[in-house]
Amino acid sequence: MNSGVKASTPTPAHTGVRDRTARGDLIIGAIGAILVCVGSFGVGDPPRNTTTLADLGLSWITYGHGKNLFGIFFWLGVFSMVFAWVRLGRRIARGATGSPSVRTLQRWLLVWAAPLLVAVPVYSRDVYAYLAQGAVFGAGFNPYADGPAHHPGPLVDSMATVWATTTAPYGPFTMGLLRVVTEVTGDHAVAGILAVRLVLLPGLFLSLWAIPRLARHFGASPQAGLWLALFNPMVLIHLVAGPHVELLMAGVLTTGVVLVVTGRQVAGTAVLALAVSIKITAGIAVPFVLWIWLSHIRSRRPVTARDVVGVFAAIVGISVAVFGLWTLLVGLGFGWLTGLGWADVIINWFTIPTFVAHVVTLVAAPFAALNLQPVLEITRAIGSVVLAVTLVALWWRHRRDERDAVAGMAWAMLAVLLLEPSTLPWYYTWALAIAVAFTLPPWARATVVGASTFMLIVFQPDDAIVFYKPVELTLAFLLAGLAAWSLLRPDPLRLGRFGRWAWASERTGTPEHPAAGEDEVRKPEPAPGG
């Protein structure tokens, strides 16, 4: 995937031109984030049974024309963020004078994220479930055995009722964190939301540190990595404005991978074990550390059976020690295993087993009235077996070197997303956080754009879903396809005559530094071992 051609180092003046050229796109995205924040107050998921907006004289924004107006703000913000993201992606893919520097992107990512930190939760009520689980833990119950309904109050009132009696699926570190948050904020939902975002925010900073390093190590573009995994509006809105624990998990996960591939295997394995104690799905990455560690030994001398046994024992020992430490400190045991089964409650056709179940019932409809639930039990059981075999096969197949192992890690994350009983938009951060290590082909980047845009539409900001409504679903497909096409071809609908500035700036540079053609791409220098 690497050409071996050394990248040219831009001069400070050249870098300044690059940054100025992309600034318009970054400003548009920042304005979009502000609009999403403003719109969320009318169409988001505010705490239930609260009089805050009424006390401020703003209750009118949550119904009627007020809600419609703020809905326009929200969707205009989403459009602006996707628009800016796609344009930014084209600049970075060209690698010409319009491509911003890594430092510029890191600063602007924080600008995009800042308004979302104070937005009303959107697309999900999971943050209230987090708080309710922390509160039930603080009240003396075991959240791995007792649902939030055991400790009724404003937090339980605000969460999705389907989860009120279910147990927590999160690791011990997360549960300890949530208990601390609720002990500080009590039953105050607004304060709790802000506190959850603050304790998850280190994950964003870790991602900003780790993603460029992971990309550089394997000769990929660090700008492309930041664009793919963090500037992605689906990721940013869901993780920050949501918010979701994946924000912290993805940062810790990527940091652990960076430490492992750069030769700090013990520290990296410990960090990965911490990621597992945040959310168990991070554990998919741990087995691949064996091949990375052995490849580092192989680069110095032949690998022996003793090396294999020693490295395997070290990985298991470090992982068990870190995870066990948090389990002992929190004192809840391994009850999170029970909570993992509640994912079956979610039914959407974004995973293969659930999609197949829908197709079977649809095809059989003229001949037999099949109930979806028993069909789901069969297809999901088959999917679980296929997933287990796939994960083992991927682990064994991708053992050649560290690059191959990280590729296997990314494929394994994707396999889980496609074959588990259910999946949700923010889960895709698991795979995207690892995929930044590689230079994705144009079709893959366009697929990410299309899928991300689709997810932003079929899931609504008030936690409603429209993927069983034909008209809305068709519109979502069309808009997602347009976004994906726009990444590959500027102005695919030839609307430039109505606003030539939107596309001309991508094709023209400054007199001193004219923009490069579409086929001019910077070739990064591969890192040692990449």
Side-chain angles (χ1 to χ4, degrees):
M1 301 176 75
N2 297 319
S3 66
V5 179
K6 186 173 182 178
S8 59
T9 303
T11 63
H14 195 167
T15 302
V17 170
R18 245 189 6 224
D19 294 351
R20 288 196 301 272
T21 307
R23 191 170 298 158
D25 299 334
L26 295 167
I27 290 173
I28 291 172
I31 293 173
I34 293 172
L35 289 172
V36 167
C37 175
V38 172
S40 71
F41 284 85
V43 298
D45 288 320
R48 297 190 181 110
N49 302 328
T50 179
T51 61
T52 302
L53 288 177
D55 294 341
L56 296 174
L58 296 174
S59 59
W60 62 273
I61 71 176
T62 62
Y63 60 87
H65 296 309
K67 184 172 184 176
N68 291 336
L69 175 63
F70 276 72
I72 291 173
F73 290 154
F74 181 85
W75 290 113
L76 183 59
V78 171
F79 167 79
S80 299
M81 293 183 74
V82 172
F83 179 78
W85 180 50
V86 169
R87 283 169 53 88
L88 193 62
R90 287 200 299 261
R91 293 186 188 280
I92 291 172
R94 285 202 315 270
T97 55
S99 178
S101 66
V102 171
R103 187 177 297 275
T104 296
L105 288 177
Q106 289 170 326
R107 289 198 299 262
W108 275 96
L109 192 280
L110 296 177
V111 174
W112 283 32
L116 304 178
L117 286 170
V118 293
V120 170
V122 290
Y123 287 111
S124 168
R125 288 188 170 271
D126 277 8
V127 66
Y128 303 112
Y130 295 161
L131 292 168
Q133 288 159 354
V136 80
F137 184 15
F141 296 94
N142 183 344
Y144 291 156
D146 307 309
H150 283 77
H151 185 62
L155 300 179
V156 176
D157 293 341
S158 296
M159 67 183 292
T161 54
V162 68
W163 306 120
T165 58
T166 62
T167 56
Y170 308 107
F173 182 87
T174 300
M175 295 314 305
L177 205 61
L178 294 176
R179 176 175 181 172
V180 171
V181 167
T182 53
E183 286 182 348
V184 173
T185 61
D187 286 338
H188 197 291
V190 174
I193 293 166
L194 296 175
V196 167
R197 285 180 176 144
L198 287 178
V199 298
L200 298 181
L201 192 58
L204 183 62
F205 292 112
L206 287 173
S207 294
L208 284 172
W209 177 86
I211 284 174
R213 285 167 172 77
L214 183 59
R216 285 195 187 101
H217 184 79
F218 291 105
S221 164
Q223 292 99 321
L226 290 170
W227 173 83
L228 180 76
L230 292 183
F231 278 91
N232 185 331
M234 182 194 74
V235 171
L236 201 58
I237 294 174
H238 276 293
L239 294 196
V240 179
H244 291 282
V245 73
E246 274 77 7
L247 180 61
L248 181 60
M249 189 201 82
V252 176
L253 171 68
T254 315
T255 299
V257 174
V258 168
L259 292 174
V260 170
V261 299
T262 54
R264 291 165 283 184
Q265 297 92 345
V266 173
T269 303
V271 172
L272 288 175
L274 175 60
V276 176
S277 69
I278 295 172
K279 195 165 185 178
I280 195 64
T281 44
I284 298 166
V286 175
F288 291 92
V289 174
L290 175 66
W291 308 133
I292 299 172
W293 200 330
L294 291 177
S295 74
H296 292 168
I297 296 175
R298 191 180 300 114
S299 66
R300 301 189 300 269
R301 58 176 174 78
V303 173
T304 65
R306 183 176 181 180
D307 292 327
V308 176
V309 173
V311 170
F312 179 81
I315 293 170
V316 172
I318 294 168
S319 300
V320 169
V322 173
F323 193 90
L325 174 63
W326 286 110
T327 300
L328 289 174
L329 289 176
V330 175
L332 292 176
F334 296 95
W336 49 268
L337 287 168
T338 304
L340 296 177
W342 294 114
D344 291 355
V345 174
I346 304 171
I347 299 177
N348 60 49
W349 44 259
F350 296 132
T351 64
I352 293 174
T354 307
F355 178 78
V356 170
H358 279 79
V359 172
V360 168
T361 55
L362 183 63
V363 171
F367 313 102
L370 295 181
N371 187 286
L372 179 63
Q373 197 60 45
V375 178
L376 270 176
E377 291 178 3
I378 296 173
T379 58
R380 284 176 168 177
I382 295 172
S384 297
V385 173
V386 173
L387 176 58
V389 173
T390 301
L391 291 178
V392 173
L394 286 170
W395 176 73
W396 184 252
R397 162 76 171 75
H398 292 272
R399 66 185 188 278
R400 187 173 66 250
D401 53 35
E402 68 168 7
R403 183 185 187 86
D404 196 37
V406 174
M409 197 183 294
W411 283 115
M413 296 284 186
L414 183 60
V416 173
L417 294 171
L418 295 177
L419 293 170
E420 67 176 345
S422 61
T423 192
L424 292 167
W426 49 92
Y427 292 1
Y428 285 86
T429 55
W430 310 340
L432 292 177
I434 306 300
V436 300
F438 306 99
T439 302
L440 301 182
W443 67 265
R445 288 183 280 109
T447 300
V448 171
V449 168
S452 299
T453 304
F454 180 79
M455 294 289 191
L456 281 169
I457 298 172
V458 295
F459 287 89
Q460 297 286 289
D462 61 353
D463 202 21
I465 52 176
V466 300
F467 47 71
Y468 292 106
K469 298 182 178 180
V471 175
E472 289 87 342
L473 188 64
T474 301
L475 178 62
F477 272 120
L478 291 174
L479 293 175
L482 178 60
W485 190 14
S486 298
L487 182 72
L488 302 177
R489 178 178 177 178
D491 192 16
L493 299 181
R494 300 188 180 280
L495 301 176
R497 59 182 176 275
F498 300 110
R500 293 190 179 279
W501 65 270
W503 289 274
S505 62
E506 294 188 62
R507 297 193 179 99
T508 60
T510 64
E512 297 83 0
H513 301 283
E518 289 292 336
D519 57 346
E520 182 181 340
V521 180
R522 267 202 322 267
K523 303 278 197 296
E525 181 183 13

